Amino acid sequence: MSNRKRTAALVTVAALAGSVVWTAAPVATAQVVDVNYACKTPIGDKSAVSPIDIKGVKSGSGYRITMSWQKGVSSSPVELGKGSMNPSATITLGGADSGTVAVTGPANQAAIPENTPIKINDLSGTYTPRKSGKVTFTAGTLTIKALGTTTTCTPANSPGPSLTLDVTAAGGTGGTGGSASGGSGGSGGAALPQTGPEDSAVALGTLGGTVLLLGAAGTLWLTRRNQLR
């Protein structure tokens, strides 16, 4: 093979390597979404907008889903003492899967003054995919129980998904929807790889390294072949 042809072949290998790296699809995307909650409270209707963040962490054959509120929602006309407010919520699944994920968390760890927006602690639950593909996670109904009363808040602005995961169902595709259960909230337990934008970057980096190694192997093969000839 002439030097000119060998150079052209190496350029082609490098171009293909770059193409594969940049076109690889991420395994997850996440974004903070503003949710306009319409709340039915014991003293009348209230509303509040809170940015919602949903994260997924791979755990065994499923995912640990955590839902976070960046601003308080609703309020109470009286002070809520420590441990008197218990929140829970649902996350609506879309895309390749359907159903809801129930997320729960601890009661308030400090007293909440009267007429103050109620800050919700992080809520978590477990999602086990029964179908393979891209699954979206969107904020659903928030329920607040306090002092023997129940406040229900539902999204009024049709918010978009806060998280999209590319999942693989155990045993292949099929089934009737994701299996979900609530958790105790918080961030306890062993650290697990997060399925979000950072995880996607790592995956792309690994793929890029693999492709570049293949390119280098191709270069050595071409050089060796030319020497033998």
Side-chain angles (χ1 to χ4, degrees):
M1 179 183 290
S2 66
N3 289 337
R4 180 175 298 177
K5 290 183 178 179
R6 183 170 63 253
T7 301
L10 294 178
V11 170
T12 301
V13 170
L16 289 174
S19 175
V20 171
V21 170
W22 286 109
T23 58
V27 297
T29 56
Q31 62 179 341
V32 177
V33 176
D34 288 337
V35 178
N36 182 10
Y37 281 104
C39 300
K40 299 289 185 180
T41 80
I43 60 172
D45 295 346
K46 294 181 178 292
S47 64
V49 176
S50 179
I52 299 297
D53 180 32
I54 300 176
K55 290 185 174 65
V57 176
K58 192 74 172 68
S59 178
S61 60
Y63 294 84
R64 186 70 170 172
I65 305 298
T66 301
M67 187 177 188
S68 303
W69 282 258
Q70 296 188 4
K71 290 184 179 180
V73 298
S74 191
S75 62
S76 172
V78 298
E79 180 181 277
L80 298 178
K82 177 181 178 181
S84 63
M85 187 273 293
N86 292 278
S88 62
T90 60
I91 297 173
T92 302
L93 303 175
D97 211 343
S98 61
T100 59
V101 176
V103 289
T104 60
N108 57 308
Q109 300 170 348
I112 302 174
E114 62 184 65
N115 299 318
T116 300
I118 298 174
K119 178 67 170 67
I120 306 298
N121 291 323
D122 288 356
L123 306 181
S124 63
T126 301
Y127 165 66
T128 302
R130 295 182 182 174
K131 294 185 178 181
S132 298
K134 291 185 178 180
V135 178
T136 60
F137 297 76
T138 304
T141 301
L142 167 66
T143 302
I144 301 172
K145 294 185 177 182
L147 304 179
T149 67
T150 299
T151 294
T152 302
C153 302
T154 56
N157 61 332
S158 299
S162 297
L163 174 68
T164 301
L165 292 177
D166 195 348
V167 304
T168 301
T173 60
T176 58
S179 172
S181 61
S184 58
S187 57
L192 296 169
Q194 179 174 326
T195 54
E198 297 86 352
D199 191 50
S200 300
V202 173
L204 288 175
T206 302
L207 176 60
T210 301
V211 172
L212 291 177
L213 286 174
L214 291 174
T219 301
L220 292 173
W221 179 81
L222 291 173
T223 302
R224 180 62 177 171
R225 180 181 181 186
N226 183 63
Q227 291 175 347
L228 291 175
R229 297 182 61 180

